[in-house]
Amino acid sequence: MRVVIAEDNALLREGLVLLLTSAGHEVAGVAATGPEILPLLLEQRPDVAVLDVRLPPGFRDEGLRAALAARAELPDLPVLVLSQYVEETYAAELLGGGARGVGYLLKDRVGRVDEFLDALDRVAAGGTALDPEVVTELMARRRDDPLDSLTPRERECLELMAQGHDNATIARSMVVTERAVHKHVGNVFAKLALPPSDSGHRRVLAVLAYLNA
């Protein structure tokens, strides 16, 4: 898998390069500032881009702006955004289009190598990978809506779905059978008035689209 990295912190940037190459991936290019990203992505057309949200020169939202601009030019480009904190507005903007292949992780997640690589694989395959804290923030801002009708177990199931996990993984996490998970998923879609779907990332994106409506 060919990856482009945009990160201004040299230590983290080199750590990502080493981690990805050790995992058998090819780092097709690296950028340290916002203006470098779009030309690099258009030139290399990687399988996935890993971008920091805040980059020079302004340290505001250069990475996110570049991600949105790149997806406008390359609609199928998977993008995994890294952030130091949960920045709800940025997460909502990136996910608001309901596009395939998007992820938003806190930088702490990079240190959990297996989780990070699994998230990168899901995004590159067209799925979604959201940090659990991002999911919590997105859900918390929705008040007085059908989310209130979910049971604690249904809410837990929805959070795991939004992180990009399949039924088997959710069953292991919740310590229940896959049949029980299937029932929870059906209840979630029914209560949120979303069309049922078993097609992986599509159901996750439907949930995310609802959360960001």
Side-chain angles (χ1 to χ4, degrees), residues 201-213:
H201 68 273
R202 289 184 180 179
R203 69 177 188 172
V204 177
L205 292 176
V207 172
L208 291 173
Y210 182 85
L211 293 176
N212 286 283

Side-chain angles (χ1 to χ4, degrees), residues 76-93:
D76 294 328
L77 174 68
V79 174
L80 176 58
V81 170
L82 301 179
S83 179
Q84 191 69 38
Y85 309 102
V86 178
E87 301 181 81
E88 181 184 313
T89 301
Y90 296 158
E93 187 163 2

Side-chain angles (χ1 to χ4, degrees), residues 1 47-48 78 101 119-127:
M1 182 163 61
D47 298 310
V48 61
L120 184 67
D121 286 342
R122 289 205 307 273
V123 171

